[in-house]
Amino acid sequence: MTFFRDTATIFSREFAPVWREPLSLVFTMAQPLLFLYLFGPLLESGTATPGPAWQWFVPGILIMMCLSGPLMAGYFLLLDLIGGSMERLLVTPVSRTALLVGRTLKEFVVLLAQAVLIIGLAVPLGLDLHVPGVLTGLTLLVVFGIGLGGLSFVLAIVSAPGGELFYGITQVVMFPLLLLSGVLLPVENGPGWLQVAASINPVTYIVEAERSLFAGRFLDAPVVWGTAAAVVTALLGLHLARRRMARGL
């Protein structure tokens, strides 16, 4: 019971700024919204996608938000480390595991709220809503986001107090993962070397799984591979973050 109380306390502390300024959720979605309204119609009017444009494109937008949100979650932890807030928390009896779980839950709620908003805005544009597939896809997205958040926390702790390592690695890693996963255009249309690079990118399999789920195809092979990639990312991220928290900052 103490652990759950500590987790709820940390979650409340982290979520308070979002609760006070709910419009911040929309402002952080500026880039995904621009892609949705400006880039999506270009796909709809052409033949670039292998299937219905919005069924293909919206899952990619959700993965884009996942990479630019939870992957950058460690930024706020880094601010606490630099400002000394985390040191004051560490001298309290709060569980260090709860420090991690509470922050992760905050990223979970924010990512889920943003994803629901994007899906709601995409339905009038032409997204065919397969409710069971969408709910399963959101679950997969959250699992992947929790893993990215854990990895981001580890990177923030390692990068303190300067933070240069965190900014450098997140920027260098995020854009190749994004572009090589085919969230904007099919990788199959690219040269051979690009397809090989995409095949070793775990995000590629999660994107394909999301597209199959949003189309209502639960038994497609990409769903299996994407689920495996998301679960491995979540387990790895949580394990490394918990281990780092237990060792101390």
Side-chain angles (χ1 to χ4, degrees), residues 198-222:
S199 68
I200 60 177
N201 179 11
V203 183
T204 301
Y205 299 98
I206 299 173
V207 171
E208 293 302 320
E210 290 284 345
R211 286 170 177 156
S212 295
L213 290 171
F214 268 64
R217 301 191 303 268
F218 291 89
L219 301 179
D220 284 4

Side-chain angles (χ1 to χ4, degrees), residues 1-11 93-94 98:
M1 294 302 297
T2 301
F3 170 77
F4 290 112
R5 185 183 65 245
D6 291 346
T7 299
T9 301
I10 298 301
F11 172 80
V94 174

